[in-house]
Amino acid sequence: MATESAGTLGREELIEAYRVMRTIRAFEERVHAEFGSGELPGAVHLYAGQEAVAAGVCGALVEGDYIASTHRGHGHAIAKGCDIGAMMRELYGKAGGSCNGKGGSMHIADFERGMLGANGVAAGGAPLACGSALTAKILGKRHVSVAFVGDGAANQGSFAESLNLATVWQLPVVFVVEDNGYAQATGTRYHLRGLDVARRAEAFGMPAAIVDGTDYLAVRAAADAAVERARSGGGPSFIECKAGRFFGHMEGFDQQGYRGEGEVDRLRAEDCLVRFTAAAGLSTEDVNGVDVTVEAAVEVAVAEAKAAPAPEAAELLTDVYVSY
Amino acid sequence: MTQPQRVLSYLDALNEALAQELAADPSVVVFGEDAVGGHGCDGTMGHAWGPTRGLHNQFPDRILDAPITESAFVGAAVGAAATGLRPVADLLFVDFAGVCFDQILNQAAKLRYMVGGKAAVPMVLRCMWGTGMRRGAQHSQALYSLFTHIPGLKVVAPSNPVDAKGLLAASIQDDDPVIFFEHKLLYFGSRAVVPEERYTIPLGQAKVVREGDDVTIVAIGRMVNEALAAAERLEAEGVRAEVVDPRTLSPFDFDTVYASVEKTSRLVVVDESNPRCSVATDIAGTVAENRFSSLSAAVRTVTGPHAPVPFSPALEDAFPPNADKIVDAVRSTLPSSVTSKAS
């Protein structure tokens, strides 16, 4: 089980973990502000508050590993090493975006980085991650796949099917359920009955851990164990991470009246970044150095995204097929 | 001395295509329910239901049994295809697309477009279709119209063993997702001399299977045989029908149909599926829109009714088009002098 010790991670790794989480936070805070000013089109779901999950899980991965993400996918993409400039251009629907502007926030992907895509369908990524895990297994590569799924999607049939298939085929896959308390505006107390999702996963025959999703070191320890198990041929594992989101389900559409009094304030008081800084023993100088760099990078990403041209009109009809 | 020519069933032709593609390309992987058969049982392995029979002996690591979880294994085919494999997943009956439609509609079909062309999904989803086996409403449909409607998918429906082998090989080698329709009555009922060597038939190329210049009959899948039977009878009446087998429904070879209609000036489309928003109405409408001046009569469609497929043999046999219905439809496109001469 996870501990609060940073002992197994070196200083550089700890600073990198902070940089990843700080980048996600800065990216999402800025997207929130930009959306509020009416500049950003489309449906945008922000990840702020859950950074330790993406960073902790992806911190356990190496190049060649795959992740399949959710509609709330910016954090996963950043943690997997996707370029925030290309991501921001994608959010603005511009040429040079991660997907040339054809995906947007909900389909942001970078196959070169092993990021198989955010997904507009709840639990859409779980079967896909079984597929990329099958690729690794058939081709004899030691790549691990991770499927991120929200608490709402944990009820989907395709998710349960994926847990079973991964066990049947002994796939090198790690299922990560992020319980942020809500499926849109419906609370887990209502929509997710019975035992924890982790117990459901255990019932399919895989080890399952429940961790505090605001604790990077706890998430990382669980992910390290699950990834190592998958990489060494031990089959699938499951991790349930509990971490609330700071913002609503979707920008512009969610007044968050369903939240309890002071709930968001409490979540922000348990900020995974603050918690990590203390646990990792990072100095103010360490933190400030990263913060300045990250803020500048996000500023550049936004400025470049706004200045970037729209995709060519002909792009409407390209990329439907490889050949037709 | 020449060898006797080898006759294969449609089912065996599919098996041979799978075997040859598995042998030629280590990234080809085949899975579905009972693709191996016998996993988890006390008896022997290899009790595959259909075209994968015997393949697990040759390719033990690349033929996989799947649990009855179509969402998971069709979705896994998408993920596997996007990361380096060429999966051939078996849905069994196409009717089961209902339980995994998201994986086909939203994942397989759209992944390449959504990521701006930076990924491809070279997968094949094989499925059985069609009436005639007394399987009732949930195992007998002709659902290719649903998939033809969706950009990003290719749709193939071979009518004979030679095309089945060549089109399956082409579908596996193709870099886009292909929904491959195998008519269940053709599995054993359609037999032909099939070349032993590995070959492909390009997707999107129709075939004129019988030449004529009085009327064009476009027929899909098993209906090609019914159209040929109708053409035979029409010949006896002095009406020369040209029969076109599209073979691929998406992409669709309209040029071959146009060329035929320009010659015959009459078109009858034969499609076993339900009539509304169907491949038949698509072909009829597209020809009417683009070759109106070539037509000397209204386009006719011969399809199943707007009803589910019934179980009772007496009722089911009345469901699909047949040679009689096709002959009637052709007659209705002819000038009355020809029709009266014929009757």
Side-chain angles (χ1 to χ4, degrees):
Chain A
M1 194 58 207
T3 70
E4 288 283 339
S5 163
T8 55
L9 300 175
R11 183 180 146 74
E12 275 183 25
E13 229 174 337
L14 293 169
I15 290 181
E16 173 60 13
Y18 178 80
R19 189 193 65 75
V20 168
M21 290 193 283
R22 191 70 187 79
T23 304
I24 299 170
R25 178 67 54 82
F27 188 94
E28 299 294 61
E29 298 272 11
R30 184 59 184 270
V31 168
H32 178 72
E34 294 294 329
F35 194 96
S37 71
E39 293 240 5
L40 265 171
V44 177
H45 308 81
L46 299 179
Y47 193 73
Q50 301 173 227
E51 291 89 344
V53 179
V57 171
C58 292
L61 301 177
V62 297
E63 198 173 328
D65 291 340
Y66 297 106
I67 62 168
S69 176
T70 71
H71 60 290
R72 198 176 304 287
H74 306 167
H76 306 137
I78 290 169
K80 196 65 174 65
C82 298
D83 175 60
I84 62 167
M87 286 180 61
M88 197 65 86
R89 287 192 288 280
E90 189 61 33
L91 264 58
Y92 276 84
K94 296 296 186 70
S98 313
C99 309
N100 291 333
K102 287 164 123 165
S105 168
M106 251 193 300
H107 306 297
I108 203 157
D110 184 346
F111 275 64
E112 285 184 14
R113 295 280 177 181
M115 163 55 172
L116 304 182
N119 210 299
V121 177
L128 298 180
C130 288
S132 55
L134 180 65
T135 296
K137 182 164 179 160
I138 294 282
L139 298 182
K141 296 177 179 172
R142 286 163 55 84
H143 299 155
V144 174
S145 295
V146 173
F148 288 100
V149 168
D151 55 88
N155 288 322
Q156 285 276 41
S158 58
F159 180 63
E161 291 189 16
S162 296
L163 293 173
N164 185 60
L165 186 69
T167 307
V168 171
W169 285 352
Q170 282 295 291
L171 297 173
V173 60
V174 179
F175 297 97
V176 178
V177 162
E178 294 182 78
D179 178 0
N180 66 15
Y182 300 98
Q184 301 189 153
T186 303
T188 50
R189 267 206 310 276
Y190 174 83
H191 77 73
L192 216 145
R193 301 297 178 102
L195 306 174
D196 291 315
V197 187
R199 302 287 85 79
R200 298 185 189 177
E202 277 178 348
F204 283 103
M206 68 184 76
I210 300 177
V211 298
D212 179 345
T214 66
D215 180 351
Y216 174 91
L217 297 172
V219 174
R220 177 67 187 269
D224 279 338
V227 168
E228 171 53 29
R229 176 180 154 85
R231 208 180 298 289
S232 61
S237 303
F238 175 95
I239 304 169
E240 182 174 345
C241 303
K242 296 180 184 296
R245 52 170 153 78
F246 291 174
F247 298 113
H249 165 65
M250 184 169 80
E251 289 303 280
F253 254 75
D254 183 357
Q255 302 311 309
Q256 302 199 68
Y258 52 88
R259 299 261 206 184
E261 177 114 18
E263 183 180 313
V264 176
D265 293 337
R266 283 198 299 280
L267 289 175
R268 286 191 180 270
E270 298 159 6
D271 189 334
C272 59
L273 279 160
V274 176
R275 193 168 172 185
F276 177 74
T277 303
L282 299 183
S283 70
T284 309
E285 280 173 2
D286 292 333
V287 166
N288 286 348
V290 172
D291 289 359
V292 168
T293 314
V294 163
E295 290 293 347
V298 170
E299 184 61 42
V300 168
V302 171
E304 288 184 353
K306 288 181 177 176
E312 299 283 338
E315 286 275 314
L316 172 67
L317 302 180
T318 60
D319 306 323
V320 182
Y321 295 92
V322 176
S323 64
Y324 194 65
Chain B
M1 201 177 97
T2 53
Q3 297 290 318
Q5 289 190 302
R6 187 190 58 142
V7 172
L8 287 188
S9 70
Y10 191 95
L11 193 70
D12 289 338
L14 293 169
N15 179 282
E16 188 162 276
L18 289 172
Q20 290 179 347
E21 296 312 304
L22 281 157
D25 183 347
S27 71
V28 175
V29 54
V30 174
F31 48 80
E33 292 145 23
D34 287 345
V36 178
H39 268 120
C41 302
D42 293 335
T44 51
M45 296 283 285
H47 289 262
W49 187 89
T52 56
R53 184 164 295 159
L55 294 182
H56 88 283
N57 291 321
Q58 230 178 318
F59 310 100
D61 301 328
R62 288 188 287 142
I63 311 286
L64 306 173
D65 274 340
I68 303 179
T69 52
E70 288 85 357
S71 284
F73 77 72
V74 174
V78 180
T83 53
L85 294 184
R86 289 188 179 272
V88 183
D90 185 351
L91 195 53
L92 295 182
F93 298 87
V94 70
D95 315 70
F96 303 163
V99 293
C100 61
F101 205 51
D102 177 62
Q103 307 304 327
I104 303 167
L105 169 72
N106 286 319
Q107 315 295 343
K110 294 176 174 62
L111 182 62
R112 178 174 177 77
Y113 192 82
M114 292 191 300
V115 303
K118 294 176 184 174
V121 185
M123 64 174 277
V124 178
L125 184 62
R126 293 184 33 248
C127 40
M128 276 186 282
W129 67 284
T131 59
M133 291 272 281
R134 317 317 185 196
R135 291 298 187 274
Q138 296 173 343
H139 289 68
S140 304
Q141 297 172 84
L143 295 178
Y144 36 71
S145 299
L146 294 181
F147 303 96
T148 302
H149 180 74
I150 300 167
L153 301 179
K154 293 177 177 174
V155 181
V156 177
S159 67
N160 63 76
V162 176
D163 286 355
K165 180 179 168 184
L167 287 168
L168 183 54
S171 298
I172 294 168
Q173 293 173 35
D174 196 272
D175 288 330
D176 293 306
V178 177
I179 316 297
F180 195 89
F181 280 80
E182 305 164 7
H183 198 292
K184 56 178 83 73
L185 280 192
L186 298 176
Y187 267 1
F188 305 100
S190 179
R191 304 174 66 81
V193 175
V194 177
E196 290 190 37
E197 72 270 15
R198 185 174 176 231
Y199 65 92
T200 58
I201 292 172
L203 305 189
Q205 282 190 12
K207 186 178 183 187
V208 177
V209 292
R210 180 186 174 110
E211 292 195 2
D213 40 30
D214 292 329
V215 60
T216 299
I217 305 174
V218 175
I220 297 162
R222 187 177 76 81
M223 289 300 111
V224 173
N225 291 336
E226 295 297 321
L228 287 171
E232 199 69 26
R233 283 165 47 186
L234 289 162
E235 178 85 42
E237 300 174 7
V239 176
R240 294 183 304 279
E242 179 147 300
V243 179
V244 178
D245 177 359
R247 304 197 288 193
T248 303
L249 304 178
S250 180
F252 192 89
D253 181 2
F254 279 106
D255 287 342
T256 294
V257 175
Y258 291 158
S260 180
V261 169
E262 285 164 6
K263 180 172 66 172
T264 65
S265 83
R266 295 177 182 85
L267 176 63
V268 173
V269 185
V270 188
D271 176 357
E272 191 177 322
S273 74
N274 304 114
R276 299 291 314 282
C277 302
S278 65
V279 170
T281 54
D282 176 58
I283 296 168
T286 306
V287 170
E289 188 165 328
N290 296 310
R291 289 298 183 276
F292 186 72
S293 60
S294 298
L295 292 167
S296 61
V299 178
R300 299 291 177 199
T301 61
V302 188
T303 69
H306 189 64
V309 178
F311 163 68
S312 166
L315 296 175
E316 188 189 24
D317 288 345
F319 186 99
N322 56 28
D324 287 343
K325 296 176 188 173
I326 297 167
V327 167
D328 286 347
V330 167
R331 284 182 184 148
S332 76
T333 69
L334 298 171
S336 54
S337 58
V338 178
T339 312
S340 57
K341 187 181 71 184
S343 53

